[in-house]
Amino acid sequence: MPSDTPRLPPPPGQPSLPDDGEGTVVVERQSSKVEPPRLYQVVMLNDDFTPMEFVVMVLQQFFHRDLETATQIMLKIHHEGRGVCGVYTKDVAATKVEMVLAAARRAGHPLQCIMEAA
C-alpha cells in the first residue's frame, strides 16, 4: 500500500519493514579524473631597439626575477633571439604577455612577448 509520507528508519532494536522499492534511487559512483591545467611559457623575443636595461626591469617587475637571473635571461634573449621568462597556466601567461606588451608600448619600445604551450 503506497504512502505519500516518507518512511523513517525503525528505532534501534526493532526489525525493519520490507521496502517496496518505491522512491528508491540508485546512483552509480563515477570516478572522475582531474587533470592539471596545461602550462604555457611566456617568451620574450629579441629586437635591436629595446634597451637591455628595460628587459631586465620587465623581468624583475612582472616575473619577480632577481637581478642576476633577470640579467641571464636578458642575455639569452639577446644572444639566442628568445628567452623563456616563466611557465604559467593559460590565463596567467596571457595576462603576463599583455602586461609586458603594455609596459613596452608605454615606454616606446617594440619589445615582443608571446606565449606558447610548454
Side-chain angles (χ1 to χ4, degrees):
M1 162 186 219
S3 170
D4 291 339
T5 59
R7 192 176 295 167
L8 298 174
Q14 288 189 352
S16 62
L17 298 173
D19 187 9
D20 57 8
E22 287 188 31
T24 303
V25 177
V26 176
V27 178
E28 288 187 30
R29 196 172 277 220
Q30 295 179 353
S31 64
S32 61
K33 266 190 172 175
V34 178
E35 294 183 17
R38 287 195 61 188
L39 296 177
Y40 292 80
Q41 52 189 14
V42 177
V43 180
M44 260 194 246
L45 306 176
N46 187 43
D47 64 68
D48 294 332
F49 304 102
T50 304
M52 293 179 179
E53 294 80 11
F54 180 78
V55 174
V56 170
M57 184 274 301
V58 165
L59 288 164
Q60 289 180 301
Q61 183 175 353
F62 298 118
F63 299 96
H64 307 287
R65 304 296 184 170
D66 59 58
L67 180 60
E68 184 178 333
T69 305
T71 303
Q72 289 174 353
I73 295 171
M74 177 274 298
L75 289 172
K76 182 175 176 74
I77 295 167
H78 181 70
H79 292 295
E80 297 179 18
R82 57 188 282 140
V84 176
C85 305
V87 179
Y88 307 95
T89 59
K90 186 176 186 177
D91 291 343
V92 174
T95 301
K96 297 268 187 191
V97 167
E98 291 304 317
M99 289 171 32
V100 169
L101 293 176
R105 298 305 162 261
R106 280 193 306 272
H109 302 304
L111 181 64
Q112 291 296 306
C113 187
I114 61 172
M115 66 183 249
E116 54 191 30

